[in-house]
Coordinates of all heavy atoms in Angstrom, one line a residue:
Q719 N -5.8 -2.7 -15.4 CA -7.0 -3.6 -15.2 C -7.1 -4.5 -16.4 O -7.7 -5.6 -16.3 CB -8.3 -2.8 -15.0 CG -8.3 -2.0 -13.7 CD -9.5 -1.1 -13.6 OE1 -10.4 -1.1 -14.4 NE2 -9.5 -0.3 -12.6
V720 N -6.6 -4.1 -17.6 CA -6.7 -4.9 -18.8 C -5.5 -5.8 -18.9 O -5.6 -7.0 -19.3 CB -6.8 -4.0 -20.0 CG1 -6.7 -4.8 -21.3 CG2 -8.0 -3.2 -20.0
A721 N -4.3 -5.3 -18.6 CA -3.1 -6.0 -18.7 C -2.1 -5.7 -17.6 O -1.9 -4.5 -17.3 CB -2.4 -5.7 -20.1
P722 N -1.5 -6.7 -17.0 CA -0.6 -6.3 -15.9 C 0.6 -5.5 -16.6 O 1.1 -5.9 -17.6 CB -0.1 -7.7 -15.4 CG -0.7 -8.7 -16.2 CD -1.6 -8.1 -17.2
I723 N 1.0 -4.5 -15.9 CA 2.0 -3.6 -16.4 C 3.4 -4.2 -15.9 O 3.7 -4.0 -14.7 CB 1.8 -2.1 -16.0 CG1 0.5 -1.6 -16.7 CG2 3.0 -1.3 -16.5 CD1 0.1 -0.3 -16.2
R724 N 4.0 -4.8 -16.8 CA 5.3 -5.4 -16.5 C 6.4 -4.7 -17.4 O 6.2 -4.8 -18.6 CB 5.3 -6.9 -16.7 CG 4.4 -7.6 -15.7 CD 4.3 -9.1 -15.8 NE 5.6 -9.7 -16.1 CZ 5.7 -10.7 -17.0 NH1 4.7 -11.1 -17.7 NH2 6.9 -11.2 -17.2
I725 N 7.4 -4.1 -16.8 CA 8.4 -3.4 -17.6 C 9.7 -4.2 -17.6 O 10.1 -4.7 -16.6 CB 8.6 -2.0 -17.0 CG1 7.3 -1.2 -16.9 CG2 9.7 -1.2 -17.8 CD1 6.7 -0.9 -18.2
T726 N 10.3 -4.3 -18.8 CA 11.6 -5.0 -18.9 C 12.7 -4.1 -18.6 O 12.5 -2.9 -18.3 CB 11.8 -5.5 -20.3 OG1 12.0 -4.4 -21.2 CG2 10.6 -6.3 -20.8
N727 N 13.9 -4.6 -18.6 CA 15.1 -3.7 -18.5 C 15.7 -3.3 -19.8 O 16.8 -2.8 -19.9 CB 16.2 -4.5 -17.7 CG 15.8 -4.6 -16.2 OD1 15.2 -3.7 -15.6 ND2 16.1 -5.8 -15.6
D728 N 14.9 -3.6 -20.9 CA 15.4 -3.4 -22.3 C 15.1 -1.9 -22.6 O 14.0 -1.5 -22.6 CB 14.6 -4.2 -23.3 CG 14.8 -5.7 -23.1 OD1 15.9 -6.1 -22.5 OD2 14.0 -6.5 -23.5
L729 N 16.2 -1.2 -22.9 CA 16.0 0.2 -23.3 C 15.9 0.2 -24.8 O 16.7 -0.4 -25.6 CB 17.3 1.0 -22.9 CG 17.4 1.5 -21.5 CD1 18.7 2.0 -21.2 CD2 16.3 2.5 -21.2
I730 N 14.9 0.9 -25.3 CA 14.7 1.0 -26.8 C 14.6 2.5 -27.1 O 14.2 3.3 -26.3 CB 13.4 0.3 -27.3 CG1 12.1 0.9 -26.7 CG2 13.5 -1.2 -27.0 CD1 10.8 0.4 -27.3
P731 N 15.1 2.9 -28.3 CA 15.0 4.3 -28.7 C 13.6 4.6 -29.2 O 13.0 3.9 -30.0 CB 16.0 4.4 -29.9 CG 16.1 3.0 -30.5 CD 15.8 2.0 -29.3
V732 N 13.0 5.7 -28.6 CA 11.7 6.1 -29.0 C 11.8 7.6 -29.5 O 12.7 8.3 -29.1 CB 10.7 6.0 -27.9 CG1 10.5 4.5 -27.5 CG2 11.0 6.8 -26.7
T733 N 10.8 8.0 -30.3 CA 10.8 9.4 -30.8 C 9.6 10.1 -30.2 O 8.5 9.6 -30.3 CB 10.7 9.4 -32.3 OG1 11.8 8.6 -32.8 CG2 10.9 10.8 -32.9
L734 N 9.9 11.3 -29.6 CA 8.9 12.1 -29.1 C 9.1 13.5 -29.6 O 10.1 14.2 -29.2 CB 9.0 12.1 -27.5 CG 8.1 13.1 -26.8 CD1 6.6 12.8 -27.0 CD2 8.4 13.1 -25.3
Y735 N 8.3 14.0 -30.5 CA 8.4 15.3 -31.1 C 9.9 15.6 -31.7 O 10.5 16.6 -31.5 CB 8.1 16.4 -30.2 CG 6.6 16.4 -29.7 CD1 6.3 16.3 -28.4 CD2 5.6 16.4 -30.6 CE1 5.0 16.2 -27.9 CE2 4.3 16.3 -30.2 CZ 4.0 16.3 -28.9 OH 2.7 16.2 -28.5
G736 N 10.4 14.6 -32.3 CA 11.7 14.7 -32.9 C 12.9 14.4 -32.0 O 14.0 14.3 -32.4
D737 N 12.6 14.3 -30.7 CA 13.6 14.0 -29.7 C 13.8 12.4 -29.7 O 12.8 11.7 -29.7 CB 13.3 14.4 -28.3 CG 13.3 15.9 -28.1 OD1 13.9 16.6 -28.9 OD2 12.7 16.4 -27.1
N738 N 15.0 12.0 -29.7 CA 15.3 10.6 -29.6 C 15.6 10.3 -28.1 O 16.5 10.9 -27.5 CB 16.4 10.1 -30.5 CG 16.1 10.3 -31.9 OD1 15.0 9.8 -32.3 ND2 16.9 10.9 -32.7
I739 N 14.8 9.4 -27.5 CA 14.9 9.2 -26.1 C 15.0 7.6 -25.9 O 14.4 6.9 -26.6 CB 13.6 9.7 -25.3 CG1 13.4 11.2 -25.6 CG2 13.7 9.3 -23.9 CD1 12.1 11.7 -25.2
R740 N 15.7 7.2 -24.9 CA 15.8 5.8 -24.6 C 14.8 5.5 -23.5 O 14.8 6.2 -22.5 CB 17.2 5.4 -24.3 CG 18.2 5.6 -25.5 CD 19.6 5.2 -25.3 NE 19.8 3.9 -24.8 CZ 19.8 2.8 -25.5 NH1 19.5 2.8 -26.8 NH2 20.1 1.6 -25.0
A741 N 13.9 4.5 -23.7 CA 12.9 4.2 -22.7 C 12.9 2.7 -22.5 O 13.3 1.9 -23.3 CB 11.5 4.7 -23.3
L742 N 12.4 2.4 -21.3 CA 12.2 0.9 -21.0 C 10.9 0.4 -21.6 O 9.9 1.1 -21.5 CB 12.1 0.8 -19.5 CG 13.4 1.2 -18.7 CD1 13.1 1.3 -17.2 CD2 14.5 0.2 -19.0
R743 N 10.9 -0.7 -22.3 CA 9.7 -1.2 -22.9 C 9.0 -2.2 -22.0 O 9.6 -2.9 -21.1 CB 10.0 -1.8 -24.2 CG 10.7 -3.2 -24.2 CD 10.7 -3.9 -25.5 NE 11.4 -5.1 -25.4 CZ 10.8 -6.2 -25.0 NH1 9.5 -6.3 -24.7 NH2 11.5 -7.4 -24.8
A744 N 7.7 -2.3 -22.2 CA 6.9 -3.3 -21.4 C 7.1 -4.7 -22.0 O 7.6 -4.8 -23.2 CB 5.4 -2.9 -21.5
H745 N 6.8 -5.7 -21.2 CA 6.9 -7.1 -21.7 C 6.0 -7.3 -22.9 O 5.0 -6.6 -23.1 CB 6.5 -8.0 -20.6 CG 7.6 -8.3 -19.6 ND1 8.4 -9.4 -19.7 CD2 8.0 -7.6 -18.5 CE1 9.3 -9.4 -18.7 NE2 9.0 -8.3 -17.9
D746 N 6.3 -8.3 -23.7 CA 5.6 -8.6 -24.9 C 4.1 -8.9 -24.6 O 3.2 -8.5 -25.3 CB 6.2 -9.8 -25.6 CG 7.5 -9.4 -26.3 OD1 7.8 -8.2 -26.5 OD2 8.3 -10.4 -26.6
E747 N 3.8 -9.6 -23.4 CA 2.4 -9.9 -23.1 C 1.6 -8.6 -22.8 O 0.5 -8.5 -23.2 CB 2.4 -10.8 -21.8 CG 3.1 -12.1 -22.0 CD 4.6 -12.0 -21.8 OE1 5.1 -11.1 -21.2 OE2 5.3 -13.0 -22.3
T748 N 2.3 -7.7 -22.1 CA 1.6 -6.4 -21.8 C 1.3 -5.7 -23.1 O 0.2 -5.2 -23.4 CB 2.5 -5.5 -20.9 OG1 2.7 -6.2 -19.7 CG2 1.8 -4.2 -20.7
N749 N 2.3 -5.6 -24.0 CA 2.1 -4.9 -25.3 C 1.1 -5.6 -26.2 O 0.3 -4.9 -26.9 CB 3.4 -4.7 -26.0 CG 4.3 -3.8 -25.3 OD1 3.8 -2.8 -24.6 ND2 5.6 -4.0 -25.4
A750 N 1.0 -6.9 -26.2 CA 0.0 -7.7 -27.0 C -1.4 -7.3 -26.5 O -2.3 -7.1 -27.3 CB 0.3 -9.2 -26.9
A751 N -1.6 -7.3 -25.2 CA -2.9 -7.0 -24.6 C -3.3 -5.6 -24.9 O -4.5 -5.3 -25.3 CB -2.9 -7.2 -23.1
L752 N -2.4 -4.6 -24.8 CA -2.7 -3.3 -25.1 C -3.0 -3.1 -26.6 O -3.8 -2.3 -27.0 CB -1.5 -2.3 -24.7 CG -1.4 -2.3 -23.2 CD1 -0.2 -1.4 -22.8 CD2 -2.6 -1.7 -22.5
S753 N -2.2 -3.8 -27.5 CA -2.5 -3.7 -28.9 C -3.9 -4.2 -29.2 O -4.6 -3.6 -30.1 CB -1.5 -4.6 -29.7 OG -0.2 -4.0 -29.5
H754 N -4.3 -5.2 -28.5 CA -5.7 -5.7 -28.7 C -6.7 -4.6 -28.3 O -7.7 -4.4 -29.0 CB -5.9 -7.0 -27.9 CG -7.3 -7.6 -28.0 ND1 -7.7 -8.2 -29.1 CD2 -8.3 -7.5 -27.1 CE1 -9.0 -8.5 -28.9 NE2 -9.4 -8.2 -27.7
V755 N -6.5 -4.0 -27.1 CA -7.4 -3.0 -26.6 C -7.5 -1.8 -27.6 O -8.6 -1.3 -27.9 CB -6.9 -2.4 -25.2 CG1 -7.6 -1.2 -24.8 CG2 -7.1 -3.5 -24.2
F756 N -6.3 -1.4 -28.2 CA -6.3 -0.2 -29.0 C -6.5 -0.5 -30.5 O -6.6 0.4 -31.3 CB -5.0 0.6 -28.8 CG -5.0 1.3 -27.5 CD1 -4.2 0.8 -26.4 CD2 -5.8 2.5 -27.3 CE1 -4.2 1.5 -25.2 CE2 -5.8 3.1 -26.0 CZ -5.0 2.6 -25.0
G757 N -6.6 -1.8 -30.9 CA -6.8 -2.2 -32.2 C -5.7 -1.9 -33.2 O -5.9 -1.9 -34.4
Q758 N -4.5 -1.7 -32.7 CA -3.3 -1.6 -33.5 C -2.1 -1.9 -32.7 O -2.2 -2.0 -31.5 CB -3.2 -0.2 -34.1 CG -2.9 0.9 -33.1 CD -2.8 2.3 -33.7 OE1 -3.8 2.8 -34.2 NE2 -1.6 2.9 -33.7
T759 N -1.0 -2.1 -33.3 CA 0.3 -2.4 -32.6 C 0.7 -1.2 -31.8 O 0.9 -0.1 -32.4 CB 1.4 -2.9 -33.6 OG1 0.9 -4.0 -34.3 CG2 2.7 -3.2 -32.8
V760 N 0.8 -1.4 -30.5 CA 1.3 -0.4 -29.6 C 2.3 -1.0 -28.6 O 2.2 -2.2 -28.4 CB 0.2 0.4 -28.8 CG1 -0.8 1.1 -29.8 CG2 -0.5 -0.5 -27.9
K761 N 3.2 -0.2 -28.1 CA 4.1 -0.6 -27.1 C 4.0 0.4 -26.0 O 4.0 1.6 -26.2 CB 5.5 -0.7 -27.6 CG 5.8 -1.8 -28.5 CD 7.2 -1.9 -29.0 CE 7.3 -1.6 -30.4 NZ 8.6 -1.5 -31.0
L762 N 4.0 -0.1 -24.7 CA 4.0 0.8 -23.6 C 5.5 1.0 -23.2 O 6.2 0.0 -23.1 CB 3.3 0.2 -22.4 CG 3.2 1.0 -21.1 CD1 2.4 2.3 -21.3 CD2 2.7 0.1 -20.0
V763 N 5.9 2.2 -23.0 CA 7.3 2.5 -22.6 C 7.3 3.3 -21.3 O 6.3 4.1 -21.1 CB 8.2 3.1 -23.7 CG1 8.3 2.2 -24.9 CG2 7.6 4.5 -24.1

């Protein structure tokens, strides 16, 4: 409702409890809107 969830085809390495996982990242516009909502830089994957 805050930001359209648009996912790219870009796989990025993310860390979850020490596991390295490749995940699809959201578009920059989605991440910018979410960063504004949460008050810090965040990326949706």
Side-chain angles (χ1 to χ4, degrees):
Q719 294 173 8
V720 174
I723 297 173
R724 295 180 38 224
I725 304 297
T726 69
N727 289 322
D728 300 336
L729 283 170
I730 62 170
V732 299
T733 305
L734 173 64
Y735 298 124
D737 289 344
N738 294 312
I739 302 166
R740 296 181 56 78
L742 296 166
R743 74 170 179 83
H745 278 266
D746 292 340
E747 299 83 20
T748 301
N749 290 330
L752 294 177
S753 295
H754 179 74
V755 167
F756 289 104
Q758 70 180 67
T759 301
V760 299
K761 290 181 245 178
L762 180 68
V763 296

